[in-house]
Amino acid sequence: MRLFTMAAFLMGIPALALGEFSTATVTYKHNGVVLEGYVAEPKGKEGKVPGVLVVPDWKGVSGLYREIADKLAAMGYVAFVVDEYGKGVRPSTPEEAAVEAEKYKSDRKLMRARVTAALEELKKNPRVDQARIAAMGYCFGGTVVLELARSGAPVVGVVSFHGGLGTPTPSDGSNIKAKVLALHGADDPFVPPAEVAAFQKEMSQAKVDWHMVVYGDAVHAFTNPKAGNDKSKGAAYNELADKRSWRAMTVFLHEIFSTR
């Protein structure tokens, strides 16, 4: 059990909205593959509350994403960190992460099925209001939550933080039931303007309720302090974009959950 105060406030979360929460490791399966996620849920709240899937970047479940889940639980949500790769599969280098992520980028059916298994696990939680579930993802995880939406999954919203926006099946945009928020670095070399334009076209043609926020002077991985500050590498932390994107996400979640 932890209580966030100043640290959370600096991320743009109003201090009065924070509360105590509990955490646990959750083991679940998909097609015989053992997966190990992480759940954080609020204490002291009666009744059911919204649930939020958190899909990590290409290195998988780590302390950074557990902390994000903790912040969400302090705000009153049940947060579930998705294990897209499998128990014990935790790439430690960019090279290892690239190999692992490519297995799913090249097989969108598997990508969707694996995150759907996490969604089903979250829905089993007795604290979760199944009519109010959202998904958010970072980098590789941003791609994953957009593919979850394209699968037609019954989530009310998805948020992509500096995620890949492209898909091999843009026509699947017509399946999207969720509202979509894309948070993008203006100078991200890994998600070029053509990919951004194609995403915008896909969303608009499918008549999705979507919006996109573009952060100037931000490249890939702008929310990850471990990305360093060398923009020339294409991935770097940007404190201002990190705080602004977190605020945008919290407003979005409040909107989609309070209207249901």
Side-chain angles (χ1 to χ4, degrees), residues 42-258:
K43 287 189 170 185
K45 276 184 170 285
E46 295 184 2
K48 294 183 180 293
V49 300
V52 183
L53 289 176
V54 179
V55 186
D57 64 19
W58 65 353
K59 288 190 175 180
V61 180
S62 69
L64 175 62
Y65 299 102
R66 287 189 287 268
E67 289 176 7
I68 288 170
D70 292 348
K71 293 182 176 76
L72 291 166
M75 294 165 60
Y77 307 133
V78 174
F80 187 92
V81 181
V82 176
D83 181 7
E84 189 77 359
Y85 294 159
K87 183 177 180 180
V89 182
R90 303 291 183 262
S92 60
T93 67
E95 292 76 18
E96 291 177 356
V99 169
E100 200 62 36
E102 184 57 31
K103 296 176 183 178
Y104 301 86
K105 290 180 180 179
S106 61
D107 186 346
R108 297 300 171 105
K109 183 178 180 180
L110 175 61
M111 177 187 282
R112 295 178 183 187
R114 189 60 58 84
V115 69
T116 299
L119 173 61
E120 293 304 314
E121 190 65 28
L122 177 61
K123 288 165 64 177
K124 293 177 185 177
N125 188 308
R127 297 290 312 282
V128 173
D129 179 353
Q130 295 193 21
R132 293 188 294 165
I133 296 178
M136 52 190 273
Y138 294 78
C139 298
F140 167 73
T143 302
V144 173
V145 298
L146 289 173
E147 287 298 320
L148 177 67
R150 291 176 177 119
S151 75
V155 293
V156 296
V158 298
V159 185
S160 169
F161 289 85
H162 43 77
L165 304 174
T167 179
T169 53
S171 61
D172 284 353
S174 62
N175 298 327
I176 297 176
K177 300 179 178 69
K179 295 183 179 181
V180 174
L181 171 62
L183 303 167
H184 177 66
D187 301 328
D188 188 340
F190 302 115
V191 185
E195 185 172 325
V196 173
F199 168 76
Q200 294 175 342
K201 181 179 179 181
E202 174 194 359
M203 294 295 106
S204 295
Q205 288 187 339
K207 300 187 185 320
V208 174
D209 184 346
W210 71 282
H211 65 287
M212 186 172 196
V213 183
V214 179
Y215 299 98
D217 197 40
V219 291
H220 201 64
F222 61 76
T223 65
N224 189 344
K226 293 184 178 180
N229 57 13
D230 185 355
K231 284 181 55 182
S232 69
K233 295 180 178 180
Y237 181 62
N238 183 308
E239 184 179 12
L240 190 56
D242 182 17
K243 291 178 179 178
R244 286 175 171 172
S245 62
W246 182 269
R247 290 189 188 101
M249 179 274 296
T250 60
V251 170
F252 179 74
L253 292 186
H254 177 74
E255 174 193 320
I256 64 175
F257 290 148
S258 63

